């Protein structure tokens, strides 16, 4: 039997153990959950560079006892020069997914760290930035062993990454690195040290910003210093869905947070009473289809949306959508899928504050472009724009669609639960699996994370749009899903394809509970 970890003094869960331990060290030094998350976020950018980095975006949910949860949107817009004409002039019929022309949006993650720390000042004494970034800088200077997933993704994507500016010299100086080979990132250590000394704003409006802008322009990116200077992360009101078990929060557009909330809101209406059976999987898959159809039609930069996504979470709207679900037959699929690559982490402190955080560079290693002399790999999030008509058509200064969506629940029994995962299209599906198993059906939190998972559609590194199930799903259930009309593909157990999930929960009595995914390299680091 699998059991979650528990403690009283605070906890950080992350898909790499060094990131979790960096966050826990901040808690030991008297820091709060937000400060712990900044330390973990900086460290995960160093030790898991294929999944995320400071050249990417981030989204926060922060829960403080007695206060409404707060969301921080730290995603950057497209460059002022990123127009349809720019790409036509360079001979593109679609935005490329790799290279300098894929590096077309501002990286917002560091601005999000700054906004979160500004919010956390209300908690009392603040730890200095050099303390928060110390572990990240140390690991970048001394080096870290390459993980299995970094080795495999470098190998699998080598043809499209090896010739991108700065990629091979940064991550594969001697060829594709073997698992366990020590990777040192001295240029990234210097960039992080500059942020520790000069402040996080230096990323956008200081010396580091100057180097980033000059380096990006030199490689051919449309980003300029004026794009960096104009960026500010935004504190926004999170979306919320009311369930029979409590309230669940997620980020508003341009993220797919509304999809994660819709799925569990619809499932709450289906009358399923048992986990892991046909009705559980089928019901969540069919709810996913209803949520994704609306998402694909409408979700983009909220300044360009003609509908209010929060209306989809009202009781009447969910009731109407739930009535469209046939609990015996699968609705037709596929619809266009949304890929993505990222990490999720959770933190809680002894004062009951809880953070749900997600950080991403979109695809593995993002654009593949490492900005000269900075060690910073830049995201390719702008590749989610289209040059054709549609909700996500490219415009200068527009926010791209984001698969990123951290979740946080305040349950009727007094628990506060932060949970999330990486995995593009799979993020809201895995969140729904973990939430329903643990909250609705009473599974232990670690068991809910470790249990067999499924994925409708594609995720990072994959192009098919069928229903994929890990091989541990019982054959009788697989057969029942096929008879209902699902196009089923059985994949290997504990595959990265199903994402790297995690959760942290604060109980009313102060006990902190955490879970981490055996599919990743992480731990729950508690005090």
């Amino acid at each position: 039997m699998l059991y979650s970890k528990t403690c009283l003094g605070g906890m950080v869960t992350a898909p790499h153990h060094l990131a979790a331990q960096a966050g826990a060290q901040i808690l030991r030094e008297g820091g709060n959950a937000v400060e712990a998350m900044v330390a973990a976020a900086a460290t995960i950018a160093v030790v898991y560079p294929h999944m995320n980095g400071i050249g990417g975006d981030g989204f926060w949910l922060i829960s403080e006892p007695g206060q409404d949860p707060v969301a921080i949107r730290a995603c950057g817009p497209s460059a002022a020069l990123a127009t349809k004409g720019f790409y036509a002039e360079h001979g593109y019929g679609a935005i490329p997914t790799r290279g300098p022309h894929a590096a077309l949006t501002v990286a917002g993650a560091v601005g999000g760290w700054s906004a979160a720390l500004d919010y956390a000042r209300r908690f009392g004494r603040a730890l200095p930035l050099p303390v928060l970034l110390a572990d990240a800088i140390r690991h970048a200077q001394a080096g870290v062993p390459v993980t299995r997933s970094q080795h495999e993704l470098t190998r699998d994507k080598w043809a499209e990454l090896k010739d991108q500016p700065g990629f091979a010299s940064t991550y594969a100086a001697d060829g594709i690195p073997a698992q366990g080979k020590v990777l040192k990132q001295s240029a990234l250590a210097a960039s992080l040290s500059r942020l520790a000394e000069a402040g996080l704003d230096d990323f956008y409006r200081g010396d580091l910003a100057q180097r980033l802008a000059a380096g990006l322009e030199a490689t051919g990116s449309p980003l300029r210093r004026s794009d960096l200077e104009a960026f500010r992360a935004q504190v926004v009101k999170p979306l919320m869905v009311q369930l029979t078990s409590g309230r669940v929060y997620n980020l508003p557009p341009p993220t797919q947070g509304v999809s994660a909330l819709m799925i569990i809101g619809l499932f709450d209406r289906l009358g399923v009473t048992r986990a892991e059976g046909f009705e559980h999987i089928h019901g969540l898959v069919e709810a996913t289809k209803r949520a994704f159809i609306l998402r694909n039609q409408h979700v983009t930069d909220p300044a360009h949306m003609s509908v209010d996504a929060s209306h989809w979470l009202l009781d009447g709207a969910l009731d109407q959508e739930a009535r469209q679900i046939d609990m015996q037959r699968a609705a037709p699929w596929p619809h266009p899928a949304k890929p993505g690559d990222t990490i999720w982490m959770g933190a809680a402190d002894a004062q009951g504050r809880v953070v749900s955080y997600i950080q991403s560079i979109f695809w593995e290693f993002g654009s593949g472009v490492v900005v000269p002399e900075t060690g910073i790999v830049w995201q390719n999030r702008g590749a989610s724009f289209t040059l054709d008509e549609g909700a996500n058509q490219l415009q200068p200064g527009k926010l791209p669609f984001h698969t990123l969506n951290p979740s946080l629940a305040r349950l009727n029994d007094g628990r506060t639960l932060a949970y999330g995962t990486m995995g593009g299209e799979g993020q809201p599906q895995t969140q729904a699996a973990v939430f329903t198993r643990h909250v609705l059906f009473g599974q232990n939190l670690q068991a809910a994370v470790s249990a067999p998972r499924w994925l409708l559609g594609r995720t990072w590194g994959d192009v098919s749009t069928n229903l994929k199930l890990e091989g541990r799903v019982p054959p009788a259930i697989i057969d029942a899903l096929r008879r209902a009309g699902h196009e089923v593909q059985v994949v290997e157990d504990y595959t990265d394809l199903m994402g790297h999930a995690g959760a942290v929960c604060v109980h009313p009595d102060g006990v902190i509970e955490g879970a981490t995914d055996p599919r990743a390299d992480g731990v729950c680091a508690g005090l």
Side-chain angles (χ1 to χ4, degrees):
M1 180 63 182
L2 298 167
Y3 294 102
S4 49
K5 303 296 186 290
T6 55
C7 65
L8 293 173
M11 181 179 285
V12 179
T13 183
H16 195 289
H17 60 99
L18 293 178
Q21 290 162 5
Q25 180 59 33
I26 296 303
L27 294 176
R28 289 188 188 94
E29 296 185 28
N32 57 62
V34 169
E35 293 172 320
M37 186 56 73
V38 169
T43 302
I44 199 83
V46 173
V47 302
Y48 241 31
H50 54 306
M51 293 290 188
N52 80 115
I54 66 173
D57 289 335
F59 293 90
W60 295 72
L61 277 172
I62 303 171
S63 174
E64 181 185 3
Q67 304 293 325
D68 291 335
V70 167
I72 296 173
R73 183 183 74 198
C75 61
S78 55
L81 296 178
T83 64
K84 291 179 65 176
F86 173 88
Y87 287 94
E89 290 168 8
H90 287 86
Y92 294 111
I95 296 173
T97 55
R98 302 290 194 187
H101 294 146
L104 69 145
T105 60
V106 175
V110 173
W113 300 356
S114 181
L117 291 173
D118 285 346
Y119 178 82
R121 287 198 177 98
R122 62 196 286 161
F123 302 157
R125 180 182 70 91
L127 293 178
L129 266 177
V131 173
L132 300 185
L133 303 186
D135 270 14
I137 294 168
R138 177 169 59 85
H139 291 309
Q141 288 174 333
V144 292
V146 169
T147 61
R148 173 193 55 80
S149 61
Q150 182 177 342
H151 159 72
E152 291 177 353
L153 284 171
T154 306
R155 178 197 65 201
D156 294 347
K157 304 298 178 180
W158 182 246
E160 59 197 75
L161 289 170
K162 63 182 176 66
D163 296 325
Q164 303 306 337
F167 179 83
S169 60
T170 302
Y171 300 115
D174 300 318
I176 298 169
Q179 180 178 348
K181 180 179 176 60
V182 175
L183 172 67
K184 297 182 179 181
Q185 301 172 77
S186 58
L188 180 57
S191 293
L192 289 167
S193 295
R194 173 65 189 175
L195 292 175
E197 296 160 4
L200 298 177
D201 195 63
D202 200 73
F203 191 95
Y204 302 98
R205 285 163 284 275
D207 290 349
L208 182 55
Q210 176 60 39
R211 291 200 296 274
L212 288 170
L216 285 163
E217 183 175 1
T219 67
S221 166
L223 285 165
R224 299 293 182 266
R225 183 164 187 176
S226 57
D227 297 309
L228 298 176
E229 289 175 340
F231 177 75
R232 297 287 193 288
Q234 299 295 316
V235 177
V236 298
K237 183 180 180 180
L239 295 177
M240 185 274 290
V241 66
Q242 180 69 58
L243 306 177
T244 55
S245 55
R247 292 182 172 185
V248 185
Y249 300 85
N250 209 305
L251 268 290
T255 80
Q256 66 172 339
V258 66
S259 300
L261 299 181
M262 276 191 71
I263 292 168
I264 55 176
L266 293 172
F267 185 81
D268 206 36
R269 288 159 166 78
L270 298 181
V272 178
T273 59
R274 185 172 63 89
E276 311 305 339
F278 166 81
E279 294 83 4
H280 184 204
I281 298 177
H282 173 80
L284 284 174
V285 170
E286 295 305 296
T288 298
K289 293 175 181 177
R290 303 304 305 175
F292 281 3
I293 289 170
L294 279 175
R295 178 200 69 182
N296 292 349
Q297 289 173 343
H298 299 290
V299 174
T300 184
D301 184 335
H304 295 261
M305 287 179 64
S306 59
V307 298
D308 186 340
S310 67
H311 292 171
W312 304 343
L313 303 173
L314 298 176
D315 285 343
L318 290 171
D319 290 344
Q320 182 177 347
E321 285 290 328
R323 285 194 291 269
Q324 307 302 312
I325 294 175
D326 185 336
M327 287 300 292
Q328 304 301 320
R329 295 296 302 171
W333 204 254
H335 283 256
K338 309 287 184 179
D341 203 2
T342 180
I343 59 91
W344 177 89
M345 300 186 292
D349 59 32
Q351 289 71 43
R353 295 180 285 252
V354 179
V355 174
S356 184
Y357 178 65
I358 200 159
Q359 187 165 275
S360 173
I361 47 176
F362 197 30
W363 288 18
E364 55 286 303
F365 291 109
S367 66
V369 174
V370 180
V371 183
E373 301 179 6
T374 69
I376 297 172
V377 64
W378 209 263
Q379 65 184 357
N380 63 336
R381 180 62 60 178
S384 66
F385 284 121
T386 175
L387 299 180
D388 302 321
E389 295 289 335
N392 286 290
Q393 185 179 33
L394 176 66
Q395 293 183 35
K398 185 176 181 180
L399 299 177
F401 170 84
H402 267 274
T403 51
L404 308 188
N405 68 107
S407 277
L408 187 142
R410 285 183 167 175
L411 303 174
N412 293 339
D413 61 12
R415 287 179 291 164
T416 299
L417 172 68
Y419 62 103
T421 182
M422 61 80 108
E425 192 89 331
Q427 286 183 40
Q429 301 182 62
T430 292
Q431 287 185 20
V434 172
F435 181 87
T436 55
R437 284 167 169 161
H438 178 61
V439 176
L440 302 188
F441 303 129
Q443 285 188 11
N444 179 271
L445 189 56
Q446 182 60 60
V449 168
S450 299
R453 293 211 286 264
W454 59 88
L455 170 69
L456 174 69
R458 64 177 290 181
T459 186
W460 60 280
D462 182 76
V463 296
S464 59
T465 56
N466 53 13
L467 178 62
K468 302 168 186 65
L469 299 106
E470 288 188 302
R472 293 176 292 146
V473 175
I477 294 175
I478 294 174
D479 290 343
L481 290 165
R482 285 182 169 136
R483 288 195 302 271
H486 295 281
E487 181 188 345
V488 172
Q489 175 188 353
V490 178
V491 298
E492 64 181 300
D493 291 334
Y494 300 104
T495 173
D496 288 332
L497 190 69
M498 296 297 167
H500 299 159
V504 170
C505 182
V506 176
H507 292 253
D509 62 358
V511 170
I512 302 170
E513 181 181 11
T516 190
D517 202 321
R519 300 164 182 84
D521 301 279
V523 296
C524 294
L527 280 69

